[in-house]
Amino acid sequence: MFKSPKTFIIALLPVLLIAGCSADTSKVMLSLMTDNRFRALQPTGHEEFQASSYDRRSVAFDQPGWFTNRDASQYIRTDEINGRKENVMMDVDGPGAIVRFWLTTFKRHGTIRIYFDNKPEPEITVPAYDLMKIGLPLGKALLQAHSSYEPKEKGGSTLYLPMPYAKHCKVTFEDKDPDNQPRYYQINYIKLGHAETFSIKHFNELKAQVDKTNDRLLQPDTIITGPTTDIDQQIAPTNQASVDLPHGSSSIRMLSIKIKTDDPADYAQALRSTVLKIEFDGEQTVWCPIGDFSGSGVGGKPLKSWYRTVKNDGEIVSRWFMPYQHTARITVLNLNNKPVHVELKAKNGAWNWVKQTMYFHADWKNQVNVPLRQVDVPVYPTDKNYPMDWDLNTIEGSGVFVGETFAVYNHMHVWYGEGDQKLWVDYAKFPVEYGTGTEDYYNTSWAPVVLYQTPFANAPRADNADSFGYNTFTRTRNLDAVPFHKSFRFSIETLGWKDGFADFAATTYWYGFKGAKSSAATNQTLPGKLP
């Protein structure tokens, strides 16, 4: 607990150090990965970007190439280095840090090189297009093989080990496959006020902390202990139950929710029709069906992630850190036509409010029969069947985007998620993140998708091998969170393997200062009857 201003400043120190003061950057970043509190503080001098293999014909929405889909083997340029041809994937000035590195392909012959601070030799050399061969002893939280991964060929991996750099970073790939294998990649990086450059030598010195971070990410707290504020009651149809939390500067550290229905057949509908609403200091910031809030989507499927857990018995545990300055009220609404029993426990912890503190938000948006267009069919902005960038949310104000849950009911018997994710910040004309496909964004590759669980990305539900029916993806942000000062927009292209329809339900998680508004909250959609 933060029991005094002195201890609060000590807790805040890592954030201040990353913002621009001298520090052991790798050590600080590893510490922050397992401290959920720091995301509630406005980052200073911190921006997030992504280098990716998106189709370079995509220039603007009103131009024909915006929805083209050749998202592989697209590079900045090719450098000649010591007789080698190295394709440049990323080339940026520091100070900054790589915070997520995702890639996939089929055959993997070649060499990835990561250069820091304009040195002629790479600090990291990977002897294949395969991060699993990076040569660093990392656990499954920091280095993950995709669900489609095969040791010899096909499939990719995702690296979450933070790699800071003081002056410059360049990532290249020397391709040794002569048959034009598709090379997909996404490299998320952040700009910092100060950074000490990553080295393998220093990594070895920090190995104990690396292991501790990995283990902590895989085993978060799932049991609430100590005093709680509770709701435990039957809620009649169209009724609600509320509870006020302790007054004064404080925070929700953990939230446990479990719902029960008289008939088990009503359980999935109850998870969608029972809504969690939270008001902080008189302003509503959370309005979301409980099943979607959990990250599991429809049906209450098990989930094991860093910020949230859904246990086999249906208990939902949220570890989102939710500070407030004066007051907080939690309300559970039953929008269904049948009663539901709700057990809710909120664990509070002291929090010294400072001007950098932001409020936690969880918004929900639903649309049935979203039209999907067949990928790679030439289209023009004037065409009647022109695809769209379907917005999960747009936000006006200042804050930090920290994740989403994307719950889909696919009406087709083919893959619905060929579209790229796009994230815009502060009214920019081009996204700071331009993706390479839905499954890629969620840390896997090669659709359709099977179930998987990792600390920051999960597929808790996929009903059928052809992706028909219910499918849920969720991804939460850690060091790769996206700060914004004026506005934020997150969209997905409506592209599938053929023309058809799907129902989309999107939950977005973010922090913002009082007065920040989102389109999902302003134009609140209501949960309907499940298919």
Side-chain angles (χ1 to χ4, degrees), residues 187-400:
I187 308 174
N188 294 73
Y189 62 97
I190 57 177
K191 290 188 175 181
L192 301 171
H194 167 85
E196 292 187 349
T197 301
F198 175 93
S199 70
I200 293 177
K201 178 177 181 294
H202 191 43
F203 169 86
N204 291 329
E205 294 169 349
L206 294 176
K207 183 61 169 56
Q209 186 179 1
V210 171
D211 292 344
K212 182 179 178 181
T213 299
N214 181 85
D215 294 345
R216 183 84 176 99
L217 290 171
L218 292 174
Q219 300 294 334
D221 294 334
T222 59
I223 300 175
I224 293 181
T225 58
T228 59
T229 304
D230 302 352
I231 295 174
D232 187 354
Q233 69 180 77
Q234 187 96 341
I235 305 176
T238 70
N239 278 255
Q240 63 185 43
S242 298
V243 64
D244 291 323
L245 275 61
H247 283 221
S249 184
S250 188
S251 63
I252 299 174
R253 299 298 180 87
M254 291 179 71
L255 194 63
S256 167
I257 309 172
K258 192 171 184 179
I259 71 170
K260 299 177 182 177
T261 56
D262 294 334
D263 185 346
D266 298 329
Y267 182 65
Q269 183 64 58
L271 283 170
R272 175 54 64 86
S273 299
T274 308
V275 171
L276 177 68
K277 182 175 80 170
I278 307 179
E279 299 161 281
F280 294 118
D281 295 331
E283 185 171 301
Q284 176 185 301
T285 68
V286 174
W287 197 103
C288 187
I290 286 173
D292 295 84
F293 177 81
S294 75
S296 183
V298 173
K301 301 297 184 181
L303 180 79
K304 187 176 182 181
S305 75
W306 170 241
Y307 292 101
R308 303 143 306 159
T309 298
V310 180
K311 300 180 182 180
N312 291 332
D313 66 357
E315 182 188 3
I316 296 162
V317 178
S318 163
R319 289 173 291 273
W320 291 114
F321 182 71
M322 308 182 197
Y324 57 93
Q325 190 170 11
H326 302 293
T327 63
R329 169 174 284 193
I330 299 176
T331 301
V332 178
L333 302 89
N334 181 7
L335 303 184
N336 201 6
N337 58 2
K338 296 182 180 180
V340 62
H341 188 94
V342 175
E343 298 176 12
L344 181 147
K345 296 180 180 180
K347 180 179 179 180
N348 270 59
W351 176 259
N352 291 79
W353 190 274
V354 295
K355 66 179 182 180
Q356 296 97 340
T357 306
M358 299 179 291
Y359 294 97
F360 175 79
H361 293 250
D363 298 329
W364 187 75
K365 173 185 177 180
N366 182 57
Q367 183 179 341
V368 299
N369 292 323
V370 176
L372 303 178
R373 301 306 179 198
Q374 183 175 338
V375 69
D376 286 333
V377 173
V379 291
Y380 299 89
T382 55
D383 290 353
K384 183 179 180 181
N385 65 339
Y386 197 52
M388 64 177 171
D389 290 312
W390 190 85
D391 288 337
L392 285 78
N393 208 352
T394 61
I395 301 168
E396 298 288 331
S398 179
V400 179

Side-chain angles (χ1 to χ4, degrees), residues 143-162:
L143 178 59
Q144 306 142 15
H146 297 166
S147 56
S148 60
Y149 183 86
E150 299 173 7
K152 291 185 177 181
E153 289 186 4
K154 188 187 176 184
S157 45
T158 307
L159 176 71
Y160 271 100
L161 177 71

